[in-house]
Amino acid sequence: MQHTIVMTGASRGIGRIAAEHILRRSPDTHLLVVARGSSGARLAAELAAGGPTVSYVPADLGSLESVRSAATGIRDRLDSGELPPLRGFVGNAGAQYTDALTEGPDGFESTFTVNVLANHLFVRMLQDRFAAPARIVITTSDTHFGDFRHNLGMVPGPVWKSPDLLARTGAFPRPGSAAAGRTAYSTSKLAVIHLVHEYARRLPAGIDAVAYNPGFVPGTGLARNAGPASRFAMRYILPVTALTPFATGRNAAGRFLADVVLGATRAPTGSYVDRGRADRSSEESYDERREGELWEAVERFTAEHAARTDGAFPDGATGGSPR
């Protein structure tokens, strides 16, 4: 039966590879890609070459108003029957900045906006349009472990604080430094796992939420906001690490993501999938008090935008629970 999967971050890297796998392996999928500006039309045309059904909606994930507009457009197209039933959302887009001082139009720090709030607003506004069985997959990172084994010393570990601080610029020491920008990144990816646990508790049965970790994938566009030296290393030097157990090649990481989206990887709601299998995330990531605090904060941060919809999350737990 035809169905719709909404996907961010499909234009390059592991997202592009995953999108191609999804379309090839699930011919009944209508893939709706979310992309900035005119790039969406080009991406949809390229992915649709050969027959798959692909469309796009424009959005700047650094702007909550832009995300709201995109989600509203998707709801309208679902309601009119232009799109088949919604069975999936893939929040694969991510951002990392060279400091912790980049502020978006809503007044929030940009890493937190793209990696946390944009995904939450999409889920918040689409949750009552999912047709079970459905799956939400949000890409996280093993930098959330904060140890050498998982990040080879390249990214500082997360530094958790009140979400009201994490959502604003200057949350970390020396906020103008690259180290602060990377700390903002690893902390936002820890927040993703916390929210996936909360979705598992709150979403209705039949709508699963999973966090996917591709591992360290050199040669992607994640460092596009970094300085020249870091961009050069990510593009030309670090890709050789894909030949070692410390990294994952783009093709493998994209295939693993498609496996999670399509249900080929066994992962109950609330799971953390490390490459090709469900596993435990960091011990720090299992903290119900912190998860509840984060939930309350992101609901508050996005309330102005999410209020312009007739959907709402249930107040109590109705779905599954984290592993």
Side-chain angles (χ1 to χ4, degrees), residues 38-92:
S38 60
S39 65
R42 182 174 63 252
L43 173 62
E46 291 172 357
L47 289 171
T53 306
V54 185
S55 61
Y56 79 99
V57 61
D60 175 1
L61 300 182
S63 162
L64 295 182
E65 177 57 28
S66 182
V67 172
R68 185 207 66 79
S69 178
T72 299
I74 295 169
R75 288 166 58 91
D76 290 345
R77 292 170 66 183
L78 287 164
D79 292 348
S80 71
E82 179 185 344
L83 292 173
L86 180 63
R87 291 286 173 82
F89 171 76
V90 186
N92 179 62

Side-chain angles (χ1 to χ4, degrees), residues 7 9 12 22-23 30 42 48 71 85 104 144 184 232 238 270 279 308:
M7 184 174 187
R12 59 169 67 88
I22 290 168
L23 291 168
H30 180 129
R42 182 174 63 252
H144 85 277
F232 180 87
L238 294 178
D279 203 349
R308 286 179 264 174

Side-chain angles (χ1 to χ4, degrees), residues 128-168:
D128 62 343
R129 295 303 196 269
F130 283 107
R135 173 163 283 196
I136 295 163
V137 180
I138 303 179
T139 300
T140 183
S141 165
D142 53 10
T143 60
H144 85 277
F145 280 92
D147 56 19
F148 186 84
R149 173 190 166 197
H150 289 92
N151 63 26
L152 302 181
M154 294 184 292
V155 180
V159 177
W160 193 261
K161 300 183 178 184
S162 163
D164 285 279
L165 294 176
L166 295 177
R168 307 295 178 176

